[in-house]
Amino acid sequence: MNARSLPRFSGAAILALAAFIAALPSNLLSQTPQTPALTVLSKDGRRPLPLVIVSDQEFVALEDLAAAFQLAVHEEALGALTVSYKGKTIVLTPDQTLASVSGRLISLPAPPTRSGRRWVVPVEFISRALAPIYDSRLDLRKPSRLLIVGDLRVPRIAVRYDPLGTAGRLTIDATPRAATSVAQDAQRLVVKVDADALDLSSALPTPSDQSLIQSVRVVDTTTLAVELGPRFGAFRAASQPVDTTLRTIIDITAAQTTEQPAPPAAPPVTPAPELPSAFLPPTSPLRTIAIDPGHGGEDEGAKGGGGAKEKDLTLSVSRRVKATIEGRLGIRVILTRDDDRNVPIDDRTAIANNNKAELFISFHANGSMRPSTSGATIFSAVFDGAARAAAIAGGGERVPTFGGGLRDIELVRWDLAQTRHVDQSNAFAALIEQQFNGRIPLAKRPSDVAPLRVLESANMPAVLIEMGYLTNPAQEKLLVSDVFQNAVVQSVYDAVIRFRDALAAGGTR
Ligand SMILES: [Zn+2]
């Protein structure tokens, strides 16, 4: 890391901000109530970067970014805006959401726009356009309005309090993992987190019964305090990693009553309430996932004007998904093909069924006669006769046959394996849409149902993802880019985690 590249903030500004932040309620630490702002955290301290709200979306002024990150902004003839940093260039076009970052296309949730005399860009500009060319790591935490510059350790902290009869349990999750220590200091427990700062985007708990603990509050940038109540007796703390989180459990028990002093001969009585274990053995409800790269071999699928082939795109994304999920979650991922060959549709689901996969994801890219059609769609199977008839009648762009290749949609008997998994398939499709939102351009109707044969014989929750339209020139460029494919992978990864957690909680059964 090059320390010189970090933005410099004046000491006076940091002190003023620190004083201002100290006056705020703890759960608003990362926000400013009057003027919305991102809090920029770097090794030099904190400073605000003002936000401009346009139609409920958060924008930042290019000139503010230029000042904070030593960028040069130029308005070119013909209206283009260039943002340069150390010989690397971002080209923006007013009214266009696509931007070029060192020659690579990225998409923004909204185009650059004027606010008064200033050009403003969506905050995602920081993570999608600036981060790839910047010397230091830029980590935009949009929900908590934090922008972390450089390799600072800023774990997300979530604190929960559960009353358990006469006892209580505090659960403190630090993600990514950060060691915590808990010590009693008079009428409080001091919780120190080994980090540079804390990301407290969720509210700290205030128990309704305050006899054991009264509140949890922020003491300084890396310390929380648990204010103890009048009935507090003792505590016991333990930490354990749970996936990428370090979970610290603080069990709190009430003091013994002294109304009836025990006879001297009696053994000491320690309250030992039955506490549910927070450290259940890691039996994941998701052990195997089948990923299906659509098409292959002589079946090339849809083709773009620039030469991109659906079969190559689906294999590239599928391999990335496999590497990421296996590497980070330890879930086995089966590919229905791992090279350029055609696998019959029924064989694809047979591979998933035979390997007892608990989730099936088929990747495709779409084609349309209309070059302007764009966006991703997540399909799950449909079995209702009327809906199926409607899907066929309304067919058109749902049948990705443009550019050759097999039809994806073939009618099948409706009493096949998928029927019993339809609710979970729809739930998983909704999770994917949620994760795509803001990262991947979506079709007008992002979640849809269709009688897709590759899904209907799958004996597990199953979805088919059409990532976008290769017949749209701008989409073709986007779909073949690393940035886009990695965004698909990250979205699917995040959706899989949520699906797994919902399964573990019995939520989608
Ligand atoms: Zn396809």
Side-chain angles (χ1 to χ4, degrees):
M1 184 176 75
N2 179 357
R4 284 174 185 278
S5 67
L6 290 172
R8 298 273 160 206
F9 308 129
S10 82
I14 293 166
L15 283 179
L17 181 70
F20 181 52
I21 284 174
L24 290 173
S26 58
N27 58 347
L28 292 177
L29 253 186
S30 59
Q31 303 178 13
T32 51
Q34 299 291 317
T35 316
L38 282 178
T39 297
V40 182
L41 281 177
S42 74
K43 69 181 196 61
D44 297 324
R46 297 169 173 254
R47 64 161 287 176
L49 185 68
L51 288 170
V52 181
I53 310 294
V54 182
S55 319
D56 283 341
Q57 288 202 68
E58 296 176 351
F59 287 74
V60 281
L62 276 179
E63 64 181 41
D64 289 340
L65 284 173
F69 296 98
Q70 298 142 7
L71 313 175
V73 179
H74 292 288
E75 222 172 319
E76 309 289 334
L78 303 173
L81 291 164
T82 60
V83 179
S84 312
Y85 173 75
K86 296 194 175 173
K88 296 166 196 155
T89 305
I90 301 165
V91 183
L92 296 162
T93 312
D95 304 321
Q96 286 205 18
T97 54
L98 286 178
S100 155
V101 179
S102 280
R104 281 191 166 167
L105 278 184
I106 60 115
S107 84
L108 296 170
T113 183
R114 271 187 191 281
S115 170
R117 291 185 169 185
R118 293 143 50 100
W119 282 103
V120 296
V121 288
V123 283
E124 288 83 356
F125 173 88
I126 296 169
S127 47
R128 298 182 192 174
L130 185 53
I133 62 166
Y134 200 67
D135 275 358
S136 300
R137 202 164 69 92
L138 296 180
D139 181 5
L140 176 68
R141 308 260 181 99
K142 206 182 161 195
S144 35
R145 285 187 171 167
L146 277 180
L147 173 57
I148 300 156
V149 182
D151 293 318
L152 297 185
R153 296 165 308 148
V154 187
R156 293 179 184 82
I157 303 291
V159 184
R160 205 176 68 222
Y161 181 70
D162 300 303
L164 301 163
T166 58
R169 167 172 287 173
L170 265 175
T171 305
I172 302 173
D173 284 343
T175 313
R177 292 179 200 169
T180 51
S181 66
V182 183
Q184 187 173 356
D185 174 18
Q187 276 306 296
R188 69 170 64 150
L189 298 178
V190 177
V191 181
K192 280 191 189 299
V193 183
D194 182 20
D196 296 305
L198 305 182
D199 177 350
L200 288 157
S201 52
S202 49
L204 294 170
T206 307
S208 47
D209 172 7
Q210 304 194 337
S211 59
L212 283 179
I213 75 163
Q214 297 182 11
S215 64
V216 181
R217 58 186 188 82
V218 176
V219 177
D220 62 38
T221 50
T222 58
T223 311
L224 302 176
V226 182
E227 299 296 341
L228 300 171
R231 284 181 55 240
F232 171 82
F235 79 98
R236 196 176 51 210
S239 294
Q240 177 156 322
V242 178
D243 199 13
T244 56
T245 297
L246 188 82
R247 170 164 292 178
T248 300
I249 303 277
I250 307 176
D251 282 325
I252 294 166
T253 47
Q256 296 171 56
T257 172
T258 51
E259 286 166 9
Q260 300 282 327
V269 179
T270 310
E274 273 298 299
L275 298 175
S277 172
F279 300 138
L280 294 171
T283 50
S284 170
L286 263 189
R287 290 172 302 271
T288 307
I289 297 177
I291 302 288
D292 175 43
H295 310 272
E298 67 275 19
D299 169 20
E300 298 188 323
K303 267 176 275 185
K309 293 172 184 170
E310 181 182 355
K311 65 170 186 177
D312 299 328
L313 179 64
T314 59
L315 185 57
S316 168
V317 170
S318 298
R319 283 173 172 161
R320 290 172 196 231
V321 170
K322 175 182 165 76
T324 301
I325 289 182
E326 284 192 337
R328 292 201 231 157
L329 295 181
I331 294 173
R332 185 169 69 124
V333 176
I334 310 282
L335 295 181
T336 58
R337 68 177 175 97
D338 194 12
D339 52 18
D340 183 20
R341 72 199 157 91
N342 188 15
V343 178
I345 284 188
D346 287 346
D347 289 5
R348 295 172 188 256
T349 37
I351 290 168
N353 291 343
N354 292 344
N355 279 285
K356 301 215 163 25
E358 286 121 344
L359 191 58
F360 182 88
I361 307 170
S362 186
F363 283 102
H364 287 259
N366 229 329
S368 167
M369 296 303 287
R370 278 208 312 260
S372 60
T373 307
S374 70
T377 309
I378 306 109
F379 286 99
S380 43
V382 64
F383 294 90
D384 174 73
R388 182 161 41 154
I392 295 158
E397 284 155 6
R398 287 186 181 172
V399 189
T401 56
F402 185 80
L406 294 175
R407 290 167 66 91
D408 283 307
I409 296 178
E410 293 189 38
L411 288 181
V412 288
R413 282 169 33 231
W414 58 272
D415 56 345
L416 287 171
Q418 180 62 205
T419 46
R420 74 186 90 152
H421 304 289
V422 162
D423 287 348
Q424 288 196 7
S425 299
N426 290 336
F428 184 62
L431 285 173
I432 300 236
E433 185 192 336
Q434 216 176 67
Q435 295 304 319
F436 273 6
N437 205 353
R439 292 171 168 171
I440 306 289
L442 291 170
K444 285 201 179 68
R445 192 172 166 185
S447 288
D448 210 341
V449 292
L452 297 163
R453 188 166 127 205
V454 72
L455 298 182
E456 290 185 350
S457 46
N459 190 21
M460 71 274 312
V463 298
L464 185 149
I465 301 174
E466 293 280 7
M467 296 179 280
Y469 282 79
L470 281 171
T471 42
N472 177 317
Q475 283 247 292
E476 182 188 5
K477 280 185 190 160
L478 183 67
L479 263 63
V480 299
S481 70
D482 282 332
V483 170
F484 175 89
Q485 294 188 15
N486 289 338
V488 170
V489 171
Q490 186 65 44
S491 305
V492 169
Y493 169 81
D494 289 340
V496 163
I497 290 180
R498 281 161 179 77
F499 187 69
R500 179 198 64 187
D501 292 350
L503 284 179
T508 71
R509 293 273 174 203

